[in-house]
Amino acid sequence: MNDNKMPISPIIDINLERIQMDLGRSDDVVIREIRDVNTLDAAAAIVYMDGLSDAKIINTYIFDVLNHALAHIPATPSSTEDSSIERIAKDLLTGIGPVYACTHFSDIYRFLLSGEAILLFRGSHHAYRACIREWKSRDVMESNNQTAIRGPRESFTETLRINTALIRRKIKDPNLWFETITIGDTTKTDITIVHVNGLAKPSVLENVRIKLASIEIDGVLDSGYIEELIEDAPHSLFPTVYNSDLPDVVAAQLLEGKVGILVDGTPNMLLVPTQLVTFFQSPEDYYQRAFYSSLLRILRFASVFISLLLPASYIAITTFHRDMLPTSLLIGLAAQREGVPFPAFVEALVMEVTFEILREAGLRMPKAIGQAVSVVGTLVIGQAAVDAGIVSAAMVIVVAVTAISTFTLPSYSLSIPIRILRFAFMGVGASFGLFGIVMGLLVLLLHVCSLRSFGEPYMSPFSPYKRTEFEDALFRLPRWLTYKRPDTSLSAGRARLRKRS
């Protein structure tokens, strides 16, 4: 944006063009003009943000009052016109509250992006702001996917314009631009590209536009349609597109140079490019003290390894590497397995499949009984299986710890591939022991290091190593030690101080 301290022009069309240009001609900027019946020139204009201001008051009161009052002002500007306009703004509009004058475009953007309506008049070097905000707060919706003890509770809804308003409320910057296109030959669904101008990489932004423009589909009913069509590695189990239903998470990602994709009818926003480490980050990490957040994040990384490798390691050790166990523990395990007719791999497979069935049943059943069925059912079936001699008590403990560790992941998108890969590691552990598990880890590491998300490394900042991003990877440094935004998605020349929401 250019110099926002530029004074307001007495010509309305010049002011409107400046506002549209500085806001990237975003489609949520609404302009209503009142034109002189004699000269057809704009005599007044109302500018407001759709979703942030009360459009009902504007349409039923402000527009009618100004339309009636301006009919009594001469078409040719005079020395007394400014005083007449000021009288209209301050006297006739007192019914909606106080009206204040703005002298520079910086004032206009500050209040316009906060939900206030801006009034422009012909021949006046001032604009006027009317406080008619209509923000959506916590009663919009409370997130069920990304819960946190501390932090905002509001989340996106299925209405596109409400979602853009929630983002505007977090980032009151005219450089936050929205660009809407239509996808779907039949549904004609509105898709909005969101980015902070100057922060998002031009190459990533252009890549997003190209991929969205190349989509040919009859209908788009959810953001999952778009995610599947634009991801760089469609055959990989790992998600290369991040999604969130929390406006504060989206705002933080946009401030780091990410590009967002909003789909009308979906309470989720897609964010690209993304890295694997992003799926381990919880919104609450940035609202708690850095020491607590770092410990919890390290715990999540450990929990993922437990969820991925614990059953496979148990199978490998009890099958091939019994000499690694202490004698007392080995004797105890042997006593438990004495009456079990199946090998350890079959035991683990039966228990894991049973738990996945119970988990899926708990998700699909009514909330009032779903959780009880999943928890009680697991306990009852596990105890009954041990009493019947089908599985050992140690295997029940291993499966239970594995399942609980999966729930520590903040992102559901990453927990699915972890659950699938767990069965693959169980197979290689049963076939080749710990050697097979190590080889499987190497293959998995090579795979994730080869992935790209819109051209950016998926394993950044680990591979390639980037010091500026590592301060928010395995752990989170205190805010007074974080100086720059991440380089992975940041546009060149905008290495400013990091400002997380």
Side-chain angles (χ1 to χ4, degrees):
M1 180 180 298
N2 298 327
D3 183 16
N4 288 334
K5 291 298 182 180
M6 180 181 294
I8 297 172
S9 172
I11 303 176
I12 291 182
D13 291 336
I14 294 178
N15 296 327
L16 295 179
E17 177 64 23
R18 171 68 187 272
I19 293 174
Q20 288 183 310
M21 181 178 64
D22 286 347
L23 295 180
R25 302 188 183 277
S26 297
D27 56 1
D28 62 339
V29 180
V30 181
I31 298 176
R32 298 200 61 182
E33 297 183 23
I34 302 175
R35 294 192 172 271
D36 189 282
V37 294
N38 297 317
T39 63
L40 298 181
D41 293 332
I46 308 172
V47 185
Y48 65 96
M49 306 301 300
D50 191 10
L52 291 182
S53 301
D54 192 337
K56 183 177 180 180
I57 294 179
I58 294 174
N59 295 328
T60 60
Y61 184 77
I62 297 180
F63 188 80
D64 292 340
V65 167
L66 294 182
N67 196 24
H68 173 74
L70 288 173
H72 299 84
I73 294 180
T76 304
S78 64
S79 59
T80 62
E81 187 172 357
D82 280 357
S83 61
S84 301
I85 293 175
E86 186 173 358
R87 178 183 56 81
I88 292 173
K90 289 189 174 182
D91 297 340
L92 299 183
L93 297 178
T94 54
I96 61 173
V99 178
Y100 303 98
C102 302
T103 57
H104 298 90
F105 278 93
S106 59
D107 299 326
I108 290 180
Y109 297 139
R110 174 186 172 189
F111 299 110
L112 176 65
L113 299 177
S114 296
E116 301 187 11
I118 302 299
L119 311 177
L120 298 170
F121 298 93
R122 178 185 57 198
S124 175
H125 290 277
H126 297 83
Y128 296 89
R129 60 183 180 92
C131 185
I132 50 172
R133 299 175 181 175
E134 190 186 32
W135 279 348
K136 304 298 179 181
S137 56
R138 182 174 176 176
D139 60 344
V140 171
M141 183 178 289
E142 185 170 348
S143 176
N144 293 320
N145 299 325
Q146 295 175 302
T147 58
I149 302 299
R150 182 176 180 179
R153 296 293 192 272
E154 62 186 7
S155 65
F156 291 132
T157 69
E158 286 72 21
T159 304
L160 178 63
R161 189 53 66 212
I162 291 179
N163 294 340
T164 59
L166 290 173
I167 301 174
R168 285 283 190 192
R169 182 180 179 183
K170 299 293 182 182
I171 306 177
K172 303 181 182 73
D173 190 333
N175 287 308
L176 177 64
W177 290 2
F178 296 95
E179 177 183 340
T180 300
I181 62 175
T182 302
I183 297 179
D185 297 336
T186 303
T187 61
K188 301 187 184 303
T189 305
D190 289 334
I191 312 292
T192 298
I193 304 173
V194 187
H195 68 98
V196 179
N197 182 45
L199 290 184
K201 274 188 176 180
S203 59
V204 173
L205 184 59
E206 186 62 25
N207 196 1
V208 171
R209 290 171 177 157
I210 293 174
K211 287 189 174 184
L212 291 178
S214 63
I215 294 178
E216 295 182 2
I217 191 172
D218 288 338
V220 177
L221 303 179
D222 185 79
S223 59
Y225 287 58
I226 302 298
E227 179 180 354
E228 191 173 353
L229 293 172
I230 65 174
E231 57 185 351
D232 286 2
H235 302 293
S236 175
L237 291 175
F238 290 88
T240 55
V241 177
Y242 186 79
N243 72 86
S244 177
D245 64 344
L246 297 177
D248 57 318
V249 174
V250 168
Q253 299 263 352
L254 292 175
L255 291 176
E256 291 182 351
K258 304 294 179 66
V259 178
I261 302 173
L262 276 173
V263 180
D264 191 21
T266 303
N268 289 284
M269 184 174 188
L270 306 178
L271 291 156
V272 295
T274 189
Q275 293 78 39
L276 180 63
V277 69
T278 305
F279 295 92
F280 291 87
Q281 298 171 352
S282 170
E284 199 173 5
D285 290 350
Y286 305 100
Y287 307 137
Q288 301 283 4
R289 297 182 64 185
F291 179 74
Y292 305 150
S293 301
S294 299
L295 289 179
L296 292 176
R297 187 173 296 180
I298 293 173
L299 181 64
R300 291 189 205 112
F301 279 97
S303 298
V304 168
F305 280 99
I306 291 174
S307 175
L308 183 65
L309 301 177
L310 183 58
S313 301
Y314 177 82
I315 294 171
I317 292 174
T318 56
T319 304
F320 296 99
H321 312 284
R322 299 185 183 93
D323 53 341
M324 295 178 59
L325 299 175
T327 304
S328 58
L329 179 58
L330 181 60
I331 293 174
L333 292 178
Q336 293 178 23
R337 292 187 47 79
E338 184 178 0
V340 178
F342 306 111
F345 173 71
V346 177
E347 273 190 274
L349 187 62
V350 170
M351 290 301 298
E352 286 289 347
V353 172
T354 302
F355 185 81
E356 292 297 333
I357 293 174
L358 289 172
R359 186 210 301 260
E360 192 67 16
L363 289 175
R364 307 306 168 198
M365 295 183 70
K367 290 183 178 180
I369 61 176
Q371 186 176 3
V373 168
S374 60
V375 175
V376 176
T378 303
L379 294 175
V380 172
I381 292 177
Q383 184 62 43
V386 172
D387 294 340
I390 299 176
V391 297
S392 63
M395 181 59 72
V396 174
I397 295 175
V398 168
V399 172
V401 173
T402 301
I404 293 174
S405 299
T406 307
F407 292 116
T408 60
L409 274 174
S411 175
Y412 183 74
S413 300
L414 185 61
S415 66
I416 296 177
I418 296 298
R419 287 155 56 187
I420 296 174
L421 289 172
R422 183 190 307 152
F423 289 95
F425 276 97
M426 288 166 52
V428 297
S431 302
F432 306 103
L434 292 179
F435 175 77
I437 294 177
V438 173
M439 293 303 297
L441 284 174
L442 290 176
V443 172
L444 181 62
L445 182 61
L446 291 174
H447 171 67
V448 294
C449 287
S450 66
L451 294 179
R452 294 289 185 273
S453 177
F454 282 75
E456 302 299 327
Y458 189 61
M459 280 298 289
S460 178
F462 304 103
S463 176
Y465 173 76
K466 294 186 177 181
R467 184 186 60 81
T468 56
E469 297 185 31
F470 204 80
E471 60 191 24
D472 190 24
L474 285 176
F475 47 83
R476 182 178 78 82
L477 291 181
R479 295 188 183 277
W480 47 272
L481 286 178
T482 56
Y483 299 103
K484 293 184 179 180
R485 292 186 174 96
D487 297 332
T488 300
S489 55
L490 185 63
S491 175
R494 292 298 298 271
R496 304 190 317 191
L497 291 178
R498 181 198 303 271
K499 297 179 181 177
R500 284 194 175 274
S501 60

